[in-house]
Amino acid sequence: MERQGWADPSIAKGYADGFEMATRLVARKLADEVAAGPNCKALDLCTGHGVVAAELVARGSDVTGLDFSEPMIELAQSAVPTARFVQGDAMAMEFPDDTFDAVTIGFGVPHFPDPERGLKEVTRVLKPGGRVAFSIWRGKGSEGAFGWLFDAVERLADPSISLPSGPDAHMLVDGGIAKPMVENAGFHNVRLIDVASELCVSDPQVLFDVFDGGAVRAASLLKRQPKERRDAIRADLATLVQAEANTDIRGYFVPAPSVVITALSKG
């Protein structure tokens, strides 16, 4: 489902547009945590539309981006022409051992079929003492876009429609789960940092469209709903945007809290 979804150019563009502000805010924190700079050879894993790669390049790093999605690679290469981008599998990268000083992963770990194995592969390509920083959206129970969506789907969606089994996309916001997993993958000095990221939508109704058109898992659930249930979820999200979002001439600023997890490779 993930591979099919992210191979769709419209989904890739929908994510790039809908999540642009939030991913850009988090990209700055990821670059901070890996000490991006002129002497840093960095891998931006699950590079998506290149928002983190752009931040790394802006700080003078030598950047390679990898993603399994061809449409995402095309968006990234267009946005960051001075970086190198390759299509590949994060679970079995073709880079030699000890290649990079730093690895960033902007919201990519939730798409790993086996997060711990994927993080072990990150350890392999990092030099001893190298830095990793990756981000996770806060999900169910959180105050903001993802928490609102989970709540609306639980109350208003057809319960017979479900996702294929897979790892919980938001589980690593829990330090009790994240720290041992990251340590078992070969890291130490594991830290979790809250980031107050946010989305910008032009109209309260548009938050539904951000998920429906730019998030593979959410879109899989939403697109299969009967029209009356889709309309109910849209209206529920719009009511929350109207009540909770800050506004200015650009639109409605919707909380989309996330967590950045950072660690050092053992050497």
Side-chain angles (χ1 to χ4, degrees), residues 50-204:
V51 65
V52 182
E55 185 67 29
L56 297 170
V57 165
R59 300 188 189 203
S61 298
D62 177 6
V63 179
T64 299
L66 181 145
D67 204 288
F68 66 45
S69 166
E70 184 176 354
M72 283 297 196
I73 290 291
E74 291 174 357
L75 289 173
Q77 192 69 77
S78 176
V80 198
T82 57
R84 293 179 300 277
F85 293 98
V86 296
Q87 190 174 2
D89 185 351
M91 308 298 290
M93 292 183 278
E94 296 183 2
F95 306 116
D97 295 358
D98 305 336
T99 298
F100 298 100
D101 301 300
V103 174
T104 53
I105 318 171
F107 301 107
V109 173
H111 304 289
F112 288 1
D114 182 338
E116 187 170 328
R117 185 163 68 86
L119 290 169
K120 287 179 179 177
E121 182 69 351
V122 171
T123 308
R124 181 186 68 76
V125 302
L126 267 175
K127 296 175 184 176
R131 300 169 183 261
V132 66
F134 62 93
S135 50
I136 307 286
W137 301 112
R138 285 199 174 275
K140 187 175 182 179
S142 64
E143 286 300 321
F146 285 86
W148 298 347
L149 177 69
F150 272 96
D151 178 65
V153 166
E154 188 170 341
R155 288 184 291 106
L156 302 170
D158 183 340
S160 70
I161 298 172
S162 62
L163 291 172
S165 61
D168 180 345
H170 306 275
M171 66 181 177
L172 293 182
V173 300
D174 181 345
I177 297 173
K179 286 186 176 181
M181 181 182 292
V182 177
E183 288 170 350
N184 288 342
F187 292 97
H188 66 114
N189 287 12
V190 181
R191 294 182 297 122
L192 279 73
I193 304 162
D194 286 313
V195 180
S197 40
E198 58 185 3
L199 310 175
C200 183
V201 294
S202 59
D203 179 272

Side-chain angles (χ1 to χ4, degrees), residues 187-231:
F187 292 97
H188 66 114
N189 287 12
V190 181
R191 294 182 297 122
L192 279 73
I193 304 162
D194 286 313
V195 180
S197 40
E198 58 185 3
L199 310 175
C200 183
V201 294
S202 59
D203 179 272
Q205 300 279 338
V206 172
L207 182 58
F208 178 93
D209 298 324
V210 169
F211 287 110
D212 192 45
V216 168
R217 296 187 194 196
S220 176
L221 276 175
L222 296 174
K223 289 186 185 304
R224 290 180 288 151
Q225 299 295 322
K227 182 181 184 303
E228 65 274 14
R229 296 203 181 231
R230 282 173 58 85
D231 290 346

Side-chain angles (χ1 to χ4, degrees), residues 250-263:
R250 293 170 292 172
Y252 295 77
F253 295 86
V254 179
S258 60
V259 172
V260 165
I261 301 167
T262 182

